[in-house]
Structure formats: C-alpha cells, structure tokens
C-alpha cells in the first residue's frame, strides 16, 4: 500500500481495491504535516458545561519566545510535541491510577451528602421554621401585651412638649 501512496497528492489519495473485491473501500484523506491518521469517531464532549475551561493550558499559553530570542524551528516543534505528549500521558497515567478510586470516593461523598440533605437537613429546617412560626406568635403577643403599652405611655408623656426655634441676635 505504501507504494500506492507514493506519487499521489495527499488530498487526492484513494485506497485502491483489489480486482477480486466488488466494492471500493472508503477513501480517507491523508493527514497534513505531523498529524496522525485517526479513523475513530471524535469522542463526545466530556465537559459540555465548561466547568474545567481554566485547566485547558496549551503550549503557546505557557511558552513564548520574543522576537529577539528565537530557537531553531525544529527545536520549537519538538518542544511543543514533547510538552503536549508529556502532558497527555501524565494525565492518562494519573487518571488511570486515580480515576476509579476517586470516582468511588466522590460518588460515596455526594451520595451521603444527598442523603443527609434529603433525610436530615431539610426536615430539621422545616421543623425549625414551623416552630419559629409558633414562637413568632408568642413573641408578638408578648410585645403587644407588655412593650407596646410602655411605648404608648412614653409617647403620650412627650406628646405635650412643643419645640420652637427662634433666632436671636445680640447687639
């Protein structure tokens, strides 16, 4: 097959079927540059809500050469591929080692949290609100019975006071 690829342009490349085959196989386009040929379907988005957008760190966001200090293009390309490969494989190895235990932990944690919230916290808060309503009525009765008469009496005592302001000049 490699001999069939030589002499053809990447955009025009087609897999040829043997004379015994009755159908043509799909004709993928060749990758451009250093891209890898990949026949798998793209994975479904694993972060559809974008909660980890701050973790997306590309080589160009970390390493930047000013115009006065350029390295060789080959060094730059190898460095970029090394960064991407190292970051990718480090994440894959760590997630392979940690993903299942941490998924178990977080599932257990959020399951317990939901259970406590549903069966303990919400009923307690609801009971507290019901009791507060009762205590609120008792408090309102206390205020209207003992405190309101005192303030009404004090208000009547000071209601007869008249305040006037006048300006006097001393010569």
């Amino acid at each position: 097959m490699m001999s069939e690829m030589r002499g053809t342009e990447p955009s025009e490349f087609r897999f040829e079927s043997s004379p015994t085959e009755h159908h043509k196989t799909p004709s993928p386009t060749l990758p451009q540059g250093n891209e890898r040929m990949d026949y798998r379907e793209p994975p479904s988005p694993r972060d559809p809500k974008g909660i980890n957008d701050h973790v997306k760190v590309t080589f160009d966001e970390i390493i930047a050469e000013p115009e006065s200090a350029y390295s060789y293009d080959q060094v730059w390309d190898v460095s970029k591929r090394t960064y991407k490969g190292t970051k990718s494989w480090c994440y894959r190895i760590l997630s392979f080692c940690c993903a299942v235990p941490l998924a178990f932990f977080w599932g257990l944690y959020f399951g317990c949290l939901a259970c406590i919230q549903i069966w303990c916290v919400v009923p307690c808060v609801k009971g507290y609100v019901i009791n507060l309503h009762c205590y609120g009525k008792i408090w309102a009765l206390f205020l209207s019975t003992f405190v309101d008469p005192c303030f009404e009496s004090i208000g009547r005592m000071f209601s007869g006071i008249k305040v006037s302001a006048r300006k006097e000049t001393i010569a």
Side-chain angles (χ1 to χ4, degrees):
M1 268 194 221
M2 290 303 285
S3 62
E4 294 173 5
M5 290 194 300
R6 294 174 202 235
T8 59
E9 291 295 316
S11 60
E12 299 172 0
F13 176 74
R14 303 254 188 256
F15 283 112
E16 298 297 326
S17 61
S18 66
T20 58
E21 290 181 20
H22 298 290
H23 65 282
K24 295 255 184 194
T25 54
S27 54
T29 59
L30 282 178
Q32 301 293 325
N34 294 330
E35 295 178 41
R36 206 174 58 160
M37 194 182 314
D38 198 1
Y39 293 104
R40 294 178 293 173
E41 290 185 26
S44 61
R46 295 184 182 177
D47 188 11
K49 295 183 180 179
I51 61 175
N52 287 317
D53 281 343
H54 62 284
V55 181
K56 296 177 185 172
V57 182
T58 64
F59 180 79
D60 297 327
E61 294 172 332
I62 302 293
I63 309 291
E65 291 182 332
E67 289 183 26
S68 61
Y70 269 12
S71 62
Y72 292 111
D73 289 341
Q74 293 83 1
V75 172
W76 182 258
D77 292 340
V78 169
S79 300
K80 191 172 188 175
R81 280 188 274 150
T82 303
Y83 170 82
K84 288 171 72 176
T86 304
K87 185 179 93 168
S88 176
W89 279 104
C90 180
Y91 177 77
R92 288 175 183 168
I93 290 168
L94 287 174
S95 65
F96 178 77
C97 295
C98 302
V100 173
L102 285 174
F104 176 78
F105 168 76
W106 288 117
L108 188 65
Y109 173 77
F110 284 111
C112 291
L113 188 65
C115 182
I116 289 169
Q117 179 73 22
I118 292 167
W119 293 104
C120 298
V121 174
V122 171
C124 286
V125 169
K126 206 52 127 166
Y128 184 69
V129 167
I130 291 170
N131 284 335
L132 279 182
H133 184 70
C134 179
Y135 294 141
K137 286 191 175 210
I138 294 170
W139 182 250
L141 183 62
F142 171 79
L143 289 177
S144 65
T145 303
F146 297 108
V147 178
D148 284 352
C150 292
F151 282 104
E152 283 182 34
S153 298
I154 292 171
R156 286 186 183 163
M157 279 180 9
F158 291 110
S159 67
I161 297 175
K162 299 204 188 260
V163 178
S164 61
R166 63 182 164 161
K167 190 176 182 181
E168 289 186 25
T169 55
I170 301 177

